[in-house]
Amino acid sequence: MPVRITQVDAFTKTPFRGNPAAICVLDSAPDDQWMQNVASEMNLSESAFVWPQPNNWRLRWFTPHQEIGLCGHATLAAAHVLWETATVPYKQQIAFDTQSGDLFCTWKNGRIEMDFPSKPAITMGAPEGLLDALQVAPQQVLKSELDYLVVLASEHEVLNVDPDTHIIEQLPTRGVVITARAFPEKPYDFVSRFFLPKFGVPEDPVTGSSHCTLAPFGANA
């Protein structure tokens, strides 16, 4: 029986931009290896698999290499598909049962609002290899439950980092986020980039889960 897979460009209004995710809505739980094979075939930063449970929807995310515990853009894309296909009415909040607990998506005034966990970072010394991988002199190095957060001096510096992903892959964490305040004339507060080579994603185009750390950091900066 054919299985429908929808590719969604998340975090953008422009086709072929943002962060693409493959969304597969199923009737019941599939085999783990099958999900991994599909994700490897799609070769996107994440593919999401969704199926109904009695009171919510089960949601799991896979990179081309392995399952991951939290993903923002593929959650956004999964909710979009459930609403756009009329599988769930727009007025109904979507509750996802995930490895990171219950996540909620709500349709509000033409936008999707996501309720994600806060994962604040604490200041710490840079682990061996981190600065060699980034070739920068950071203002601050922090670590959250998920990732290292490296604060740089300027947006220009963030944009010009050319990391050694082979070193980052060896660090004892999921990945590395780099960030800085945006240029004063820009309509946003900060910029960031996210490197996830351990999971087969050298750099993620846009990362929702990293904002579980960037948001509380920015609010307190």
Side-chain angles (χ1 to χ4, degrees):
M1 180 177 178
V3 174
R4 179 175 179 175
I5 299 174
T6 305
Q7 183 166 318
V8 178
D9 294 330
F11 299 133
T12 183
K13 295 180 179 179
T14 306
F16 311 114
R17 299 294 295 274
N19 196 354
I23 307 302
C24 184
V25 180
L26 302 157
D27 294 328
S28 59
D31 177 75
D32 285 10
Q33 188 59 55
W34 181 85
M35 288 189 284
Q36 185 60 71
N37 290 343
V38 171
S40 299
E41 177 79 9
M42 297 305 297
N43 200 33
L44 300 173
S45 57
E46 275 87 17
S47 296
F49 301 87
V50 188
W51 59 91
Q53 299 186 143
N55 299 310
N56 54 24
W57 292 83
R58 180 62 173 162
L59 173 61
R60 293 173 67 180
W61 312 275
F62 288 77
T63 76
H65 285 192
Q66 64 190 91
E67 187 170 11
I68 195 167
L70 181 62
C71 178
H73 83 282
T75 303
L76 183 80
H80 172 78
V81 169
L82 290 175
W83 280 316
E84 284 290 299
T85 58
T87 305
V88 176
Y90 279 103
K91 64 181 180 180
Q92 181 177 322
Q93 183 186 63
I94 299 174
F96 290 117
D97 170 25
T98 78
Q99 281 192 23
S100 293
D102 293 333
L103 306 178
F104 300 93
C105 291
T106 307
W107 182 264
K108 289 188 176 181
N109 301 318
R111 294 175 178 268
I112 298 174
E113 180 180 286
M114 297 196 299
D115 185 357
F116 264 51
S118 174
K119 296 186 179 295
I122 59 172
T123 301
M124 65 177 303
E128 182 179 357
L130 177 60
L131 302 188
D132 289 335
L134 299 177
Q135 291 295 302
V136 293
Q139 293 186 327
Q140 196 174 2
V141 175
L142 307 95
K143 187 176 185 297
S144 73
E145 176 187 332
L146 297 174
D147 309 303
Y148 284 106
L149 175 63
V150 180
V151 183
L152 303 182
S154 68
E155 178 173 348
H156 177 80
E157 195 170 6
V158 169
L159 295 175
N160 284 278
V161 165
D162 183 15
D164 186 329
T165 55
H166 296 293
I167 298 177
I168 291 176
E169 189 173 1
Q170 306 306 315
L171 296 175
T173 186
R174 182 184 72 158
V176 173
V177 183
I178 60 174
T179 188
R181 289 194 176 277
F183 292 129
E185 68 274 13
K186 295 296 180 67
Y188 41 82
D189 296 322
F190 61 84
V191 294
S192 66
R193 293 171 65 190
F194 181 51
F195 309 108
L196 189 66
K198 186 176 295 185
F199 287 80
V201 184
E203 180 171 358
D204 205 7
V206 187
T207 307
S209 63
S210 68
H211 286 73
C212 295
T213 297
L214 285 164
F217 173 77
N220 294 317

